[in-house]
Amino acid sequence: MADVAVIGAQWGDEGKGKLVDWLSARADVVVRFQGGHNAGHTLVIDGKVYKLSLLPSGIVRDGKVSVIGNGVVVDPWALVDEMDRLRDQSISITPVNLVIAENVPLILPLHGELDVLREAAAGDKKIGTTKRGIGPAYEDKVGRRAIRLIDLAYPSTLKEKVEKLLTHHNALRRGLGVKELNPEALVEKLKQIAPKILPYAGPAWRLVQEARKAGKRILFEGAQGVLLDVDHGTYPYVTSSNVVAGQAAAGAGLGPKALGYVLGIVKAYTTRVGEGPFPTEDESETGQLLGERGREFGTVTGRKRRCGWFDAVLVRQSLKLAGVDGIALTKLDVLDGFNELKVCIGYDLDGKQIDYFPAGMDAQASVKPVYETMPGWQGSTEGARSWADLPAEAVKYVRRIEELIECPVALVSTSPEREDVILMRDPYED
Ligand code: GDP
Ligand code: IMO
Ligand code: MG
């Protein structure tokens, strides 16, 4: 059974949402398995734009079941707002088409506040987080003091757990010089949101297991990208979860053999939002142009994304780390009209050429990209749906990338619109 996992292979925003939406036509259940509302996945369907942060991208298709797996951190207020926004766009969300793992840890207002306080205190050493409380919420999960969704159903346990959690947080808050929190007020706030979210809570792991047993197809929707992975990314400039394919199993409640095909989503150039190393970052007009043509503004925070040429070294490494079988190359159309294109094929580190991205912070900041230059194309790839529609130089660019990253290109995306995809190998058939 070929269940497909979609993983971002760079610093996020590669176009995962678009590809998950496209693939969900072939799937029955779509599962988010890590991250939280730091993610921003954009879908464009017949010109109508849907922005999803916590809801799996399958939610926009009738007849699909969307699952928020145990590996996600859920801000119940943000989720309720997102559901309201989607309902205003005529999307139906009911406990039949949305199930949230009852054991997900919750993001509370104190997590967002802590995220903001820490970033402010870090000054120019800040991470550039989305300020959504993601890191602090994962810390509490691993610290075994998180409030989980199911706790909302048990008021006396909830009170005890909130008191324990606040013993920890109030000590931190005293240290940071901010007002301590009152447990009763937090319990009250949680009791008010509980009826809006508890109807969706359930043993998500059983649902996905039973769906598999019944021969249904599961689609795993990753958030962020491998270079933001807490182990493999540009630490400490990373998010606080594992984003690689192994996490899809752990974060959904399945064994690793549930993953049939891992599809890496790769942008035809590179972007990053937030701080941290970025070897091919281009602060000249070229980077500006990539940003303008690719409309590179964050879906979640509206921040301008940093832009640069394609980095084959980073992507090759990411694909291996994530266990990717094939990629979807996105935003090829953004490269239309450039006279020449550069691709990073190695790094210079203190005068030595290396073919991988080193782990040390200093080395990551000081590697200099070694470029190969390729001719660009003047024709348009925008909206292309077949290989035959691509200019010869665009075909060469895709083939060269395929060679450098040591991984086949399964799909190419040529516009934000749902159906503007060139299919070369079907991940569900491969
Ligand atoms: P995600 O976080 O990986 O889902 O990606 P985002 O939605 O944050 O950012 C990708 C942006 O590029 C969105 O605005 C998409 O609508 C858009 N997009 C996706 N694929 C393509 C493509 O092939 N061409 C162009 N021009 N835009 C695309
Ligand atoms: P999608 O799923 C791009 C980045 C933030 C920051 C770092 C840590 O849309 O690709 P966090 O708030 O997670 O603690 O921030 O990670 N980041 C993303 N960048 N796309 C995302 O998600 C991101 N989610 C987090 O900008 O650098
Ligand atoms: Mg995004």
Side-chain angles (χ1 to χ4, degrees):
M1 166 93 50
D3 281 332
V4 176
V6 169
I7 307 290
Q10 290 151 315
W11 277 292
D13 304 327
E14 300 90 349
K16 297 176 293 293
K18 170 178 165 165
L19 268 299
V20 170
D21 173 50
W22 189 85
L23 283 164
S24 68
R26 293 159 157 75
D28 303 291
V29 181
V30 183
V31 190
R32 272 281 307 268
F33 55 84
Q34 49 71 231
H37 64 314
N38 48 350
H41 296 180
T42 316
L43 280 45
V44 183
I45 304 166
D46 296 330
K48 204 165 166 186
V49 180
Y50 301 88
K51 290 179 185 291
L52 303 168
S53 282
L54 266 170
L55 292 169
S57 296
I59 201 77
V60 302
R61 278 191 202 264
D62 285 341
K64 310 291 171 186
V65 176
S66 289
V67 174
I68 298 181
N70 57 275
V72 175
V73 278
V74 172
D75 178 325
W77 297 274
L79 180 59
V80 167
D81 284 351
E82 191 176 328
M83 292 200 280
D84 288 345
R85 266 200 323 274
L86 267 289
R87 284 188 179 120
D88 287 346
Q89 290 190 285
S90 310
I91 301 297
S92 153
I93 306 171
T94 68
V96 174
N97 72 343
L98 175 68
V99 175
I100 311 171
E102 56 198 359
N103 53 345
V104 282
L106 300 183
I107 301 186
L108 306 173
L110 58 87
H111 293 123
E113 223 183 311
L114 186 56
D115 201 349
V116 170
L117 285 167
R118 282 189 183 148
E119 286 282 275
D124 64 1
K125 297 272 189 299
K126 70 174 196 271
I127 289 168
T129 70
T130 59
K131 301 185 182 163
R132 298 294 191 266
I134 306 293
Y138 274 118
E139 285 170 34
D140 280 347
K141 167 182 168 168
V142 178
R144 297 167 290 195
R145 52 181 176 264
I147 309 298
R148 308 205 296 177
L149 178 51
I150 193 64
D151 297 330
L152 301 187
Y154 298 92
S156 60
T157 318
L158 178 65
K159 186 167 172 284
E160 258 172 50
K161 288 192 73 173
V162 166
E163 280 164 2
K164 183 175 168 224
L165 180 76
L166 288 193
T167 311
H168 174 82
H169 276 276
N170 280 337
L172 261 178
R173 294 172 73 93
R174 279 194 294 278
L176 288 162
V178 289
K179 200 166 153 262
E180 290 183 37
L181 295 168
N182 171 325
E184 280 81 32
L186 180 52
V187 169
E188 202 40 51
K189 214 170 150 50
L190 286 166
K191 279 188 184 161
Q192 278 174 18
I193 197 77
K196 294 192 174 164
I197 181 166
L198 276 177
Y200 303 90
W205 67 274
R206 272 188 69 179
L207 185 151
V208 285
Q209 300 263 353
E210 279 165 14
R212 286 199 86 232
K213 208 165 139 197
K216 302 248 166 76
R217 283 167 160 184
I218 321 276
L219 176 58
F220 299 92
E221 175 174 4
Q224 289 81 52
V226 179
L227 298 168
L228 290 169
D229 182 282
V230 68
D231 286 294
H232 301 293
T234 45
Y235 193 90
Y237 300 97
V238 293
T239 192
S240 297
S241 63
N242 282 117
V243 315
V244 292
Q247 178 61 26
L254 288 164
K257 288 180 194 147
L259 306 180
Y261 186 98
V262 181
L263 182 71
I265 312 299
V266 177
K267 204 179 276 194
Y269 50 99
T270 316
T271 63
R272 169 165 210 172
V273 55
E275 310 302 315
F278 179 174
T280 64
E281 181 171 17
D282 189 324
E283 292 176 283
S284 77
E285 282 164 20
T286 307
Q288 283 286 111
L289 196 58
L290 284 170
E292 280 163 26
R293 303 210 41 203
R295 301 207 186 124
E296 296 296 354
F297 291 91
T299 315
V300 175
T301 56
R303 288 177 292 175
K304 202 170 165 198
R305 296 176 185 147
R306 300 152 66 192
C307 297
W309 292 119
F310 188 78
D311 189 334
V313 182
L314 278 183
V315 171
R316 182 171 60 227
Q317 189 159 326
S318 293
L319 300 180
K320 292 190 195 308
L321 289 165
V324 168
D325 295 300
I327 69 154
L329 188 69
T330 61
K331 304 190 94 161
L332 185 66
D333 53 295
V334 174
L335 300 181
D336 288 356
F338 280 93
N339 284 330
E340 54 181 35
L341 305 170
K342 288 187 181 173
V343 174
C344 171
I345 54 166
Y347 298 128
D348 181 298
L349 178 62
D350 302 327
K352 268 209 273 197
Q353 189 147 339
I354 56 170
D355 65 358
Y356 68 96
F357 194 54
M361 256 177 97
D362 299 312
Q364 289 191 346
S366 61
V367 290
K368 299 273 175 296
V370 176
Y371 288 111
E372 175 176 291
T373 303
M374 298 188 63
W377 54 90
Q378 297 310 313
S380 170
T381 64
E382 195 184 340
R385 295 186 187 181
S386 91
W387 239 159
D389 295 338
L390 297 183
E393 293 82 3
V395 169
K396 275 191 200 144
Y397 183 74
V398 176
R399 289 298 183 212
R400 181 63 183 139
I401 282 182
E402 196 168 45
E403 197 171 67
L404 288 166
I405 63 175
E406 298 168 10
C407 187
V409 174
L411 302 124
V412 178
S413 166
T414 56
S415 100
E417 266 291 339
R418 175 186 262 178
E419 295 299 336
D420 288 340
V421 166
I422 303 174
L423 174 65
M424 291 152 81
R425 294 157 189 250
D426 188 337
Y428 275 105
E429 305 297 331
D430 220 348

